[in-house]
Amino acid sequence: MTSPGSATELDQLILPAIPPVHLNSGQVAALQVTDRLHRGTEIVGRFEASGLAGFKVSSQGRALRVLLSLSLDDRSVPGWQSGRAEPGAGLPRLVQVRSQGRLRQCVLLKGKRAHARVAFDLAPEEIPDDGLVCVELLDIAEGDGVSEELRQAVSGRVMSEGVAGMRLNKVVFEEPPAVDFDPDTLDGARCELSTLISAGGMANLNRQGVRVLRSGMFVVNPVLKDTFGSSGRVTFRLGTKAEPASVIPATWRRVNSELRWMRHAARKVLGMAAPPVDQVFSLRDGDLGVPEQRTDGNVTELLLPSAKTSPFLVIMGPCLGAVPTLESASSY
């Protein structure tokens, strides 16, 4: 036996995660620290409220890329342990993702089947000698370093206790590749897949094309180095989509009614004004002033600098009888 307070030969050997590694269970030795995270067997765990997970990782003095998979399900409600849904549970969730004490990205999730991806790099100096890498999820109203202006702007528009019941499905640790593929343009759905934006979640991970912004807002995130949206400026092309009519039973008697509605919706979209952008906030610095935007017919082009150090929150104006959409983004 060694001296009191020291490790003994009876202590369990802690095996660090050696990159590249995919962790999809909470029953692994590398998961060393949990705070309000209930460990899972087929997922890493479920957050009771804002909390963190700490992993022991063998980085060996090298940079690390961290990839997270988050999602919601029927149990993702405030008070999920008791099974009682709290008021405001139908509102979108705006959640901070932090690591090693720094805000990395934000996710905006809405609906019972929403998924989100998070991706960020850790520099060698951010990883301590013991290899403990912490991933923290915080509600937008909690923690420091978030502008009070932004918190007031989203009050009542997003769910309080936004982390409650959220699933941490998988965590990946790997070395950053030497070069990342960097296209010039991405459609709205792939902007969310790449983590550049978060607009409610990727209900269908294979979806491509226009991204509907039913929450009336979206987050623009700092992204991985040398990837789309990481430098220069980004132009977001915003459009509108007619609100759907009530669901029509799929019977031959209703086919003509459905076709008439589709023709009406097409005419309506052509006559719509361009979707307005009311405000753009930096999570750290607050209101960024009047956003730079130009309109052409029913299309708005929103020009933003790359979100290098803090996510931006874009809040749309009202679109009567329609919902705003993100058609594409171009990086310069």
Side-chain angles (χ1 to χ4, degrees), residues 50-207:
S50 295
L52 66 81
F55 301 87
K56 187 175 180 65
V57 185
S58 177
S59 66
Q60 299 178 339
R62 293 171 292 188
L64 273 182
R65 176 157 295 177
V66 184
L67 308 172
L68 309 178
S69 171
L70 306 170
S71 69
L72 304 175
D73 61 15
D74 291 333
R75 299 176 64 198
S76 301
V77 293
W80 68 271
Q81 287 177 286
S82 62
R84 295 193 300 269
E86 301 290 337
L91 294 174
R93 302 163 183 250
L94 184 55
V95 173
Q96 309 169 60
V97 180
R98 301 191 180 201
S99 181
Q100 311 305 74
R102 283 184 50 202
L103 175 62
R104 305 294 171 167
Q105 291 188 333
C106 283
V107 294
L108 181 71
L109 290 176
K110 181 176 175 61
K112 293 182 179 180
R113 296 291 182 269
H115 290 252
R117 290 181 177 177
V118 175
F120 57 88
D121 288 340
L122 295 177
E125 58 270 20
E126 293 182 288
I127 304 170
D129 293 339
D130 62 6
L132 186 64
V133 175
C134 292
V135 174
E136 188 176 11
L137 265 60
L138 286 180
D139 181 78
I140 195 63
E142 298 179 341
D144 56 8
V146 177
S147 163
E148 191 59 35
E149 281 184 302
L150 180 138
R151 285 176 169 163
Q152 291 177 3
V154 299
S155 178
R157 299 186 61 162
V158 298
M159 193 179 90
S160 60
E161 300 182 31
V163 186
M166 284 186 64
R167 293 162 50 111
L168 177 57
N169 297 317
K170 183 167 70 171
V171 180
V172 177
F173 296 105
E174 61 186 20
E175 291 185 42
V179 178
D180 280 307
F181 175 67
D182 185 16
D184 294 327
T185 302
L186 286 180
D187 63 36
R190 284 182 291 176
C191 282
E192 193 158 27
L193 185 65
S194 72
T195 78
L196 172 63
I197 72 157
S198 186
M202 305 172 294
N204 182 345
L205 300 180
N206 298 316
R207 181 176 297 166

Side-chain angles (χ1 to χ4, degrees), residues 250-287:
T251 62
W252 285 108
R253 284 184 239 178
R254 295 300 183 96
V255 168
N256 287 335
S257 297
E258 191 169 354
L259 291 174
R260 281 198 300 272
W261 177 84
M262 292 173 66
R263 289 193 294 269
H264 169 72
R267 289 194 298 270
K268 194 173 183 181
V269 168
L270 291 174
M272 286 176 185
V277 176
D278 278 356
Q279 291 177 293
V280 178
F281 290 90
S282 162
L283 263 73
R284 184 187 64 186
D285 302 322
D287 194 345

Side-chain angles (χ1 to χ4, degrees), residues 17-65:
I18 300 176
V21 62
H22 292 234
L23 304 177
N24 52 16
S25 169
Q27 311 302 315
V28 293
L31 179 54
Q32 285 288 286
V33 181
T34 61
D35 179 15
R36 291 185 284 189
L37 175 76
H38 295 247
R39 295 173 184 253
T41 54
E42 297 183 358
I43 62 173
V44 175
R46 186 188 295 271
F47 285 94
E48 176 183 340
S50 295
L52 66 81
F55 301 87
K56 187 175 180 65
V57 185
S58 177
S59 66
Q60 299 178 339
R62 293 171 292 188
L64 273 182
R65 176 157 295 177

